[in-house]
């Protein structure tokens, strides 16, 4: 392991203090930040993603922020390729890649590699979308259950994005996606990785942080941000991956008159808490992680001390 270049993964649920800790590391260690966040990749999505402000980005530049327009897709495979390229470049310049974020699927893609599944076929995707428009996603879910019962069993009937992808793979290869994934060979990441997980010692305190943060986003104008995105990008819809982000879907539905501001607030906070719950489930399933209480005083300093100690042992 000592012969491999070092890298640091700083992971945690939303509102756990990842950005502040990362900025502290940049001030004291030879690290360079790569954002691991499926929403921060989008330009113009600033308030609802709690994107670091311009002053913070000047102090601690982040790679993989503002690299796509909201109508565009950005997949785990895209992240995997982009992040590996950046990590190689950062290591080649004698610095340490610091990967910071809460999109656990992206971390998983890096740690475990990706299977060689076929890339998206625009014509096939259009055909599936037309079929879904005519019959509904539950009907396509039923079709998937015949072709790949294992994958269908773990997907909800309205999980359009994953149903579409699984059907694409089945139809393009003639094999079930679940079978192809089992054939995947593990490809260890060629870095010596310190994996840090910011975990709350009291879930209720994290929930209050989430509520306060969502309220601040409303005050800062996330609804106007979504309205502006709708004007600028007429091709956006609730099925666009960027608009599935927490806060954006609820703001979109509010703008469509589906509910009032109080319900928007409640739905947004509830959805963010569910996101945090999923993130924590991922983190606790990773035995290689070193847990740090994200609610402790001087969190950034504690993370810095841990990283310094690890680097000194290399």
């Amino acid at each position: 392991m000592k012969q491999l270049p070092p890298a640091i993964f700083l992971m945690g649920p939303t509102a756990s203090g990842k950005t502040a800790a990362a900025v502290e590391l940049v001030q004291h260690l030879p690290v360079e930040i790569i954002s691991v966040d499926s929403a921060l990749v989008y330009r113009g999505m600033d308030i609802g993603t709690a994107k670091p402000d311009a002053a913070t980005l000047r102090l601690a530049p982040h790679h993989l922020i503002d690299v796509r327009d909201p109508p565009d897709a950005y997949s785990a495979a895209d992240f995997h390729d982009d992040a590996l390229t950046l990590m190689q470049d950062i290591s080649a310049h004698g610095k340490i890649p610091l990967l910071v974020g809460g999109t656990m699927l992206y971390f998983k893609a890096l740690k475990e590699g990706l299977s060689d599944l076929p890339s998206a076929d625009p014509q096939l995707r259009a055909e599936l979308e037309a079929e879904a428009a005519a019959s509904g996603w539950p009907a396509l879910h039923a079709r998937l259950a015949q072709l790949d019962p294992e994958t269908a069993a773990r997907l909800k009937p309205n999980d359009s994005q994953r149903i579409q992808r699984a059907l694409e793979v089945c139809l393009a290869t003639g094999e079930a996606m679940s079978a192809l994934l089992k054939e995947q060979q593990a490809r260890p990441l060629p870095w010596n990785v310190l994996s840090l997980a910011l975990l709350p010692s009291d879930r209720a305190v994290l929930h209050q942080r989430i509520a306060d943060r969502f309220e601040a986003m409303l005050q800062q104008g996330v609804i106007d941000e979504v309205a502006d995105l709708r004007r600028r990008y007429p091709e956006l819809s609730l099925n666009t991956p960027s608009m599935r982000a927490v806060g954006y879907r609820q703001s979109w539905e509010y703008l469509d008159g589906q509910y009032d501001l109080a319900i928007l607030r409640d739905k947004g906070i509830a959805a963010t808490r569910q996101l945090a719950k999923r993130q924590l489930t991922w983190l606790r399933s990773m035995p290689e992680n070193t847990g740090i209480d994200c609610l402790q005083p001087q969190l950034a300093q504690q993370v810095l001390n841990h990283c310094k100690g690890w680097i000194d042992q290399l």
Side-chain angles (χ1 to χ4, degrees):
M1 291 292 289
K2 289 187 176 181
Q3 296 176 352
L4 296 175
I8 300 170
F9 287 4
L10 182 59
M11 302 171 280
T14 185
S16 59
K18 299 182 294 294
T19 299
V23 171
E24 183 73 12
L25 294 183
V26 169
Q27 306 313 303
H28 297 92
L29 297 175
V31 298
E32 200 164 320
I33 297 173
I34 300 174
S35 171
V36 187
D37 190 297
S38 60
L40 291 183
V41 299
Y42 292 110
R43 303 180 186 98
M45 292 175 57
D46 303 331
I47 298 171
T49 62
K51 188 175 291 179
D53 60 23
T56 300
L57 292 176
R58 283 194 297 271
L59 190 64
H62 288 49
H63 295 286
L64 300 187
I65 284 182
D66 293 338
V67 296
R68 289 287 193 280
D69 287 327
D72 300 332
Y74 191 81
S75 67
D78 291 325
F79 171 81
H80 174 269
D81 294 346
D82 290 346
L84 279 182
T85 300
L86 287 165
M87 291 176 75
Q88 290 163 355
D89 184 61
I90 292 167
S91 294
H93 287 86
K95 300 185 79 174
I96 299 173
L98 170 60
L99 290 94
V100 182
T103 300
M104 298 307 151
L105 180 62
Y106 286 7
F107 280 114
K108 179 180 172 65
L110 266 185
K111 288 184 175 186
E112 300 179 9
L114 293 167
S115 58
D116 296 323
L117 297 178
S119 57
D121 181 327
Q123 181 177 347
L124 181 55
R125 177 159 293 189
E127 292 172 0
L128 290 170
E129 288 177 348
E131 185 177 342
S135 305
W137 285 107
L140 270 74
H141 182 264
R143 182 180 177 190
L144 178 64
Q146 295 178 334
L147 297 171
D148 185 356
E150 186 175 335
T151 298
R154 64 180 177 80
L155 299 181
K156 294 181 179 179
N158 286 307
D159 192 343
S160 58
Q161 186 176 20
R162 291 179 177 85
I163 292 169
Q164 182 182 62
R165 178 59 178 152
L167 279 172
E168 281 179 358
V169 171
C170 290
L171 296 172
T173 66
E175 295 186 58
M177 187 170 75
S178 56
L180 293 172
L181 290 173
K182 287 175 183 176
E183 295 171 3
Q184 173 183 336
Q185 297 297 313
R187 288 169 284 184
L189 191 66
W191 273 267
N192 180 5
V193 177
L194 171 64
S195 293
L196 300 179
L198 304 187
L199 304 172
S201 54
D202 185 341
R203 190 80 66 90
V205 176
L206 182 67
H207 284 179
Q208 187 57 53
R209 282 190 183 182
I210 287 170
D212 293 343
R213 183 166 166 173
F214 196 83
E215 181 62 39
M217 288 177 180
L218 289 174
Q219 297 297 324
Q220 292 162 13
V222 67
I223 296 171
D224 291 337
E225 182 173 76
V226 174
D228 182 58
L229 291 172
R230 285 165 51 137
R231 285 191 295 269
R232 290 166 57 195
Y233 303 104
E235 63 271 39
L236 279 180
S237 75
L238 277 178
N239 289 324
T240 308
S242 63
M243 291 298 105
R244 294 193 186 108
V246 170
Y248 288 87
R249 170 176 289 277
Q250 292 77 22
S251 296
W252 186 292
E253 292 171 343
Y254 167 82
L255 289 167
D256 281 349
Q258 294 188 31
Y259 36 73
D260 62 20
L261 185 60
I263 295 177
L264 161 62
R265 181 182 291 107
D266 291 343
K267 282 182 172 290
I269 292 171
T272 311
R273 288 177 177 175
Q274 284 298 313
L275 169 62
K277 182 179 179 180
R278 293 193 299 272
Q279 291 169 318
L280 289 169
T281 298
W282 274 91
L283 289 168
R284 291 189 170 116
S285 72
M286 299 176 177
E288 69 274 18
N289 290 347
T290 297
I292 297 177
D293 180 11
C294 67
L295 305 181
Q296 65 176 300
Q298 305 298 318
L299 170 63
Q301 184 63 46
Q302 292 297 320
V303 173
L304 174 60
N305 292 343
H306 200 98
C307 292
K308 276 185 175 179
W310 178 75
I311 292 171
D312 289 343
Q313 294 174 6
L314 295 177

